[in-house]
Amino acid sequence: MTGTAVVAGVGPKIGEAVARELHDAGYDVGLFARSEGFIEELAADLGTGALAVPTDVTDEASVQAGMETVREAFGPISALVLNATGGGGRPVGQANADRLRDIFDVRVSGSLACVNAALSDLRENEGTVIFSGTTYADSLVPEQIEWGAVGPAARGLSKSLATALDDVQVTYVRIGSRVDPVGQVGDDALSAAAVASQYRELVEREDAVTRELDLRQR
């Protein structure tokens, strides 16, 4: 299969690995991140069919413009990977409302903005939306108070969208192990390449639909 994918939140682990995996599989890929230099270097390395689009997912106008840039370059969007996290939380005594809002704006509001900006394409193509999630969304996280609050909200958004969009596969991937960059995998970690391979399988499914997927180191 081929099509146009957008990876929102492209960093040196999952984002980069997913972009490479989908590009190698024949997809045109739009790379969203605030780190302009990183995504430009990655797009240059990938070559034809990869486009760096500096985008702030917390800014709806930036997201709309970014999706339109990808659409004009490659055509309608058929896959959307939501990988922007906004960082982690902090323990009691250090956690605060401003940090919680910052993470929420990236992880939840930003994800919804991306889905809305690509929604007509995704519905037309019966496409796929993938949330890079975490097992923190369904367990207590006393050492990361802000993320412990935002994680379930992101999972709730994914589940709500999955129910509302019966013509789009929306999958929340519950990652339960540390993810290391390709070629730097420790004994207790998943390889970003292994995660990316699972994402590609989800994107390429035609018959079965997965709403939630557990991934952890074996």
Side-chain angles (χ1 to χ4, degrees):
M1 292 179 63
T2 58
T4 299
V6 169
V7 182
V10 178
K13 294 182 182 179
I14 294 175
E16 177 182 355
V18 171
R20 290 187 181 279
E21 180 79 18
L22 294 178
H23 186 266
D24 288 349
Y27 290 82
D28 294 319
V29 182
L31 312 173
F32 282 16
R34 287 182 287 193
S35 303
E36 184 173 350
F38 181 82
I39 58 175
E40 287 182 345
E41 288 182 13
L42 178 57
D45 186 40
L46 293 175
T48 302
L51 181 65
V53 187
T55 305
D56 180 354
V57 299
T58 68
D59 181 336
E60 288 188 81
S62 177
V63 172
Q64 289 283 353
M67 291 294 181
E68 188 57 33
T69 297
V70 173
R71 192 177 290 114
E72 290 177 355
F74 301 137
I77 295 153
S78 55
L80 173 61
V81 177
L82 301 168
N83 191 61
T85 67
R90 293 169 292 193
V92 170
Q94 299 176 33
N96 61 64
D98 286 341
R99 181 66 183 139
L100 189 152
R101 278 190 289 267
D102 287 344
I103 300 173
F104 188 94
D105 284 347
V106 173
R107 191 71 190 110
V108 183
S109 301
S111 293
L112 181 57
C114 288
V115 171
N116 283 338
L119 186 56
S120 60
D121 289 354
L122 292 166
R123 300 191 93 160
E124 179 182 345
N125 290 303
E126 296 186 344
T128 295
V129 177
I130 299 174
F131 282 73
S132 291
T134 172
T135 53
Y136 279 1
D138 52 17
S139 60
L140 301 177
V141 195
E143 73 279 11
Q144 295 201 44
I145 297 298
E146 301 100 333
W147 180 238
V150 174
R155 186 184 183 199
L157 174 61
S158 174
K159 293 172 72 174
S160 295
L161 289 171
T163 302
L165 300 173
D166 56 5
D167 48 355
V168 177
Q169 175 179 228
V170 181
T171 306
Y172 184 89
V173 180
R174 299 170 67 254
I175 298 173
S177 302
R178 188 183 79 248
V179 177
D180 284 348
V182 178
Q184 302 178 31
V185 186
D187 292 339
D188 59 345
L190 278 168
S191 165
V195 176
S197 176
Q198 291 295 313
Y199 282 25
R200 177 177 58 81
E201 181 181 330
L202 288 168
V203 169
E204 293 187 337
R205 286 186 178 178
E206 294 185 356
D207 299 321
V209 172
T210 297
R211 297 306 191 193
E212 199 159 272
L213 176 68
D214 281 355
L215 283 181
R216 63 185 68 241
Q217 190 264 350
R218 192 166 184 172

